[in-house]
Amino acid sequence: MHRPRRPWRRSKGLRAQDIRIGIDLGGTKIAGIALGPDGTTRAETRVPTPRGDYAGTLDAIAGLVATLEAEAGTEGASVGIGMPGAVSRHNGLIKNANSVWLNGRPFAQDIAARLGRPVRVENDANCLAVSEAVDGAGAGERLVWAVILGTGVGSGVAVDGQALTGRNAIAGEWGHNPLPWPRDDERPGPACYCGRRGCLETWLSGPGLAADHLACTGERLSGEQIVAAALQGEPGAAATLARYLDRLARGIAHVVNLLDPDVIVLGGGLSRIESVVAALPERIAPHVFSDAFDTPVRASRHGDASGVRGAAWLWGPES
Ligand SMILES: [Zn+2]
């Protein structure tokens, strides 16, 4: 099959010694990785997130960078950081982070000053998209749309291997769009913490799946338990999974009509179930405004490591 060249790979030569550090700043742990120019792991480590402690979070990241540089035998490596939320383009402060002690803080400037170098900070879903675009399930594709289906729901976009941030730094914030083509019994939809009703996240997150199953069957199961039961043929769980896939397909089709990505990459717990991923294209197709729909839908290649890997690749091969 013809694969397009990667235009972002031909701009400037790599320096052999370049080490890229990626940090994934999560709510419970901060993970770090040092990648060689070929994408191999030179060092990796993680520490618990100092929850609620802004200065402690800066300390922890600085400590991780020092550890990774020592292990990788380098100094002055590039540093990229992925986190939930974004740096506001309006005032440079963090917004929308569920690690709420970062919100309203000039985190990007503070960590750059602390590390004595420029630091790129991106939304974690964008990091997934970048990771998969550079050397994952979207490698060689120009426009990669990556969807995270986990405790929360979000997505990110990479164009030519680079994160598409957007004017308001919200490109890809799909989880708080409403479920498209809603049926009567799906309106107005569950209440979302963001203040709206019927957000995709309330349907497509693990807790959303569990809530739908509870509402329809009276049975209290986790998202993983529901999928496991469905795959074993339990009728109630199978019906819940079918509703879930139909809603996910509608949500995806809505974006396909807008963005028409070259590949759709799924991350998060549900993406690890092959039959779930395989079931999607035929459910997406009827909602797409096109005579044909042949966009590949793939599970992420790097899985949970895509957060750190994508953060490292924020300093792409061209930079
Ligand atoms: Zn919402």
Side-chain angles (χ1 to χ4, degrees):
M1 192 182 111
H2 170 73
R3 298 186 78 80
R5 289 187 66 185
R6 301 180 201 182
W8 68 95
R9 288 227 182 258
R10 61 171 185 252
S11 49
K12 283 180 197 144
L14 280 173
R15 286 170 296 166
Q17 75 276 21
D18 282 348
I19 296 287
R20 294 175 177 79
I21 288 178
I23 302 288
D24 185 9
L25 174 48
T28 57
K29 67 175 190 322
I30 307 175
I33 200 168
L35 293 184
D38 56 354
T40 53
T41 302
R42 302 294 177 85
E44 57 188 327
T45 185
R46 59 179 55 189
V47 294
T49 303
R51 293 183 62 80
D53 180 354
Y54 181 67
T57 301
L58 297 175
D59 289 343
I61 293 170
L64 275 181
V65 169
T67 301
L68 290 164
E69 289 190 327
E71 279 184 29
T74 188
E75 52 187 25
S78 65
V79 177
I81 300 178
M83 57 177 294
V87 177
S88 167
R89 296 220 162 173
H90 169 61
N91 56 20
L93 307 179
I94 297 295
K95 64 176 179 179
N96 298 345
N98 55 8
S99 298
V100 291
W101 63 95
L102 300 173
N103 284 326
R105 298 282 196 161
F107 171 73
Q109 294 103 295
D110 286 347
I111 195 64
R114 182 67 184 268
L115 295 173
R117 69 195 84 174
V119 174
R120 292 185 176 168
V121 178
E122 260 297 344
N123 176 267
D124 53 359
N126 286 350
C127 289
L128 169 66
V130 168
S131 170
E132 296 297 324
V134 170
D135 61 2
E141 305 290 357
R142 181 143 199 259
L143 180 46
V144 176
W145 182 44
V147 172
I148 295 182
L149 303 168
T151 312
V153 168
S155 81
V157 182
V159 183
D160 291 343
Q162 298 187 349
L164 181 72
T165 307
R167 182 181 174 115
N168 299 292
I170 55 163
E173 284 288 1
W174 171 69
H176 299 276
N177 280 4
L179 177 70
W181 299 286
R183 298 190 307 259
D184 287 346
D185 63 356
E186 293 170 333
R187 278 192 292 256
C192 184
Y193 74 87
C194 75
R196 300 169 182 86
R197 296 191 73 102
C199 292
L200 282 164
E201 180 165 296
T202 68
W203 295 107
L204 302 180
S205 63
L209 172 62
D212 183 58
H213 187 68
L214 177 64
C216 290
T217 66
E219 195 177 30
R220 198 176 291 277
L221 294 178
S222 71
E224 292 86 17
Q225 290 170 325
I226 293 164
V227 173
L231 295 179
Q232 285 166 13
E234 198 279 305
T240 299
L241 182 60
R243 286 193 302 280
Y244 179 91
L245 289 172
D246 173 56
R247 288 166 181 149
L248 176 57
R250 278 182 269 156
I252 289 174
H254 209 228
V255 175
V256 170
N257 280 349
L258 182 71
L259 208 55
D260 199 5
D262 293 307
V263 59
I264 298 163
V265 178
L266 303 183
L270 276 162
S271 70
R272 289 191 275 272
I273 300 158
E274 231 171 84
S275 56
V276 166
V277 178
L280 282 167
E282 68 179 27
R283 287 171 167 78
I284 297 169
H287 302 288
V288 174
F289 187 65
S290 172
D291 60 338
F293 172 73
D294 64 357
T295 311
V297 180
R298 300 180 184 142
S300 72
R301 176 177 170 203
H302 295 297
D304 292 341
S306 258
V308 279
R309 294 186 63 90
W313 286 122
L314 291 175
W315 293 90
E318 88 294 346
S319 53

